[in-house]
Amino acid sequence: MLTVVVPGHESFTIEPPAGRPLAEIVAARDSRLLKDIVAARIADRLFDLAAPAPVTGEVELVYADSPAGLDILRHSAAHVMAAAVKELFPETKVTIGPAIADGFFYDFDRSQPFTPDDLEQIEKRMKELVKKNAPFTRRELDRDEALELFAALGEDYKLELIRDLPAGETLSTYQVDEFVDLCRGPHIPRTGLLKGGFKLLSLAGAYWRGDEKNKMLQRIYGTAFPDKEALKHHIEMLEEAKRRDHRKLGRELDLFSIDDEVGAGFVIWHPKGAMLRTLLEDFERREHLRRGYEIVIGPQILKQELWKRSGHFDHYRENMYFTRIEEQEYGIKPMNCLAHMLIYKSKVRSYRDLPQRYFELGTVYRHEKSGVLHGLLRVRGFTQDDAHIICTPDQLQEEITGVLGFVADVMEIFGFPFSLELSTRPEKSIGSDEDWARATTALTKALDSHGLEYDINAGDGAFYGPKIDVKLKDALNREWQCATVQCDFTLPERFELTYVGADGARHRPVMLHRVILGSIERFIGVLIEHYAGAFPLWLAPVQTRVMTVTEEHVPYAREVAEILRAADIRVETDYRNEKLGYKIREAQVEKVPYMLVIGGQEVEHRTVTPRLREGGANLEPMTAAEFAARVRDECQRQMRKGATHSH
């Protein structure tokens, strides 16, 4: 007997004839189910609905709006796009076209660049193919047959992919309309299931197989959803993301710039951006000191021998910069851990001294390829809120828990929900199997003992140890990886770190590498987009702008500004001979939280009238000192949202 599981409906059991397609079995039960079903899951594998059903066991139907179904829908949309491209531009050679987060892409080799007008044509032809409701037809063939087929089609990139496969491999192709593609599938049964909505979004360049030594291809990005409302919402979110783009807002708010004269990936902080960064770093120092960390500072360059000893030279060299001084090779630091271990080694430590928690706002440099650089989110020089906790094995779980509590407090202050991911040993790594097992167990126990939910990201740990990554969600529900805690038994061994135990003998400590915000540059980029540049009062580079109605009000306005500065309020002034409405609009565009308009009434009564950034409402008149107290109280309330976690 075969059990068919229909999510959201009652399962049913049948005894199907051998070889009967899954779609026929579903249709015989209720043909309406096929309206939203795109595939089936059998023994944790996904199959087309045209696949023969097993006679016994369990089949789970996959809806288009499920995560797996959405991937299949988008992958199928990529094939429909490639079919349209080949029909409109027959000389084009196809490469690969996978589903990705929020959409799909396909890479093409074409002598002429695609244009926005071309995208409109391609999308129009895709709609015609969807209306045609053409089937996706699967065919299995051996390697030689596949080579013969794609050689006849002149698809050189497919031939390269096939030649990389083992000789005895069984391959599969999918045909939609006249287009044939090499693909393992599965796909939607017919193109009509894409009627819910799809859209081509943008063009980009991409190297074949991601290797800059290979040919540059043209990549077309698109997205697809099961229904028009979901597509409409997604397009609106993309437009909102453009409006919030930190590079655009960075220019408009005069926060930072990246200049070709300096070099790609290196940030120049303007006064307001430098103030924002300083506020964030001061916040970090306070919060770390409250939690028993000590502030340290290591050098920017260290001898190459140290990087060899740590394993970075063998496992991370391609991401590092090197220099030579007086015949001695040095590495510019991509991480801060080496100096912290040398601080620990500077004297004998007892078990009573542990844990040692070293914190550094350490600037590091990494060799990123120019194609992946992106504003503040991916740079070559950045500062990490880096800390290393050196502790006994018995203290390890408590320290991991402390870090996770620290993360939760900070994310609450900024208003970020977050999820957790445990990354395990990668192929390229150092250390023994035993040490990796101990480190992974310690992280797992810290998560499990507090009932924290987490996903497993197999093989994505650091080369020296497993890690917990924290993925925050911003106002647009996008995920960003910032905080991380990594467990390391290996580097303490390599650097011969020890402590004197209660038994008087030397023992090996464990080290945690961790960041809370991660890259300060990246985190500020996320903050800009999360708040759309309208920072909370405590973090705003300018908290208030004092502006005058006429020139005769300037003397009192200057007094107000001095009172506020003396109270540590960040204030700007605008005494220009411009219309008041113009000054107010300018301050609103620059997202200043409070505007203080100084006119005749304010001068006469020696008050200020605060105007809010949100909604433009005016507060009741008050003295400058009362306003300063209001600002301080509001900042303290915002900062108290995260309850301080202590060890």
Side-chain angles (χ1 to χ4, degrees), residues 171-226:
L171 308 177
S172 59
T173 62
Y174 281 83
Q175 180 166 345
V176 56
D177 203 44
E178 299 300 317
F179 175 65
V180 179
D181 206 351
L182 178 73
C183 185
R184 70 165 58 94
H187 281 287
I188 57 178
R190 309 184 74 85
T191 58
L193 277 167
L194 286 165
K195 66 184 181 299
F198 57 86
K199 186 168 182 60
L200 302 188
L201 300 172
S202 61
L203 292 160
Y207 292 109
W208 169 233
R209 292 188 152 183
D211 188 339
E212 60 188 3
K213 295 175 184 175
N214 289 336
K215 187 169 185 178
M216 174 69 79
L217 306 171
Q218 296 185 68
R219 176 171 292 180
I220 301 178
Y221 283 102
T223 192
F225 286 88

Side-chain angles (χ1 to χ4, degrees), residues 76-130:
S76 302
H79 276 239
V80 173
M81 179 174 72
V85 168
K86 286 293 289 185
E87 184 177 325
L88 294 167
F89 312 101
E91 78 286 358
T92 304
K93 294 185 186 297
V94 296
T95 64
I96 57 168
I100 55 174
D102 295 330
F104 60 87
F105 71 77
Y106 211 113
D107 289 345
F108 301 98
D109 183 3
R110 181 173 179 244
S111 57
Q112 295 294 317
F114 288 114
T115 67
D117 287 343
D118 292 337
L119 290 196
E120 286 185 21
Q121 281 192 67
I122 295 165
E123 193 171 296
K124 181 182 177 184
R125 179 56 188 144
M126 289 175 69
K127 288 176 181 175
E128 291 169 358
L129 285 170
V130 169

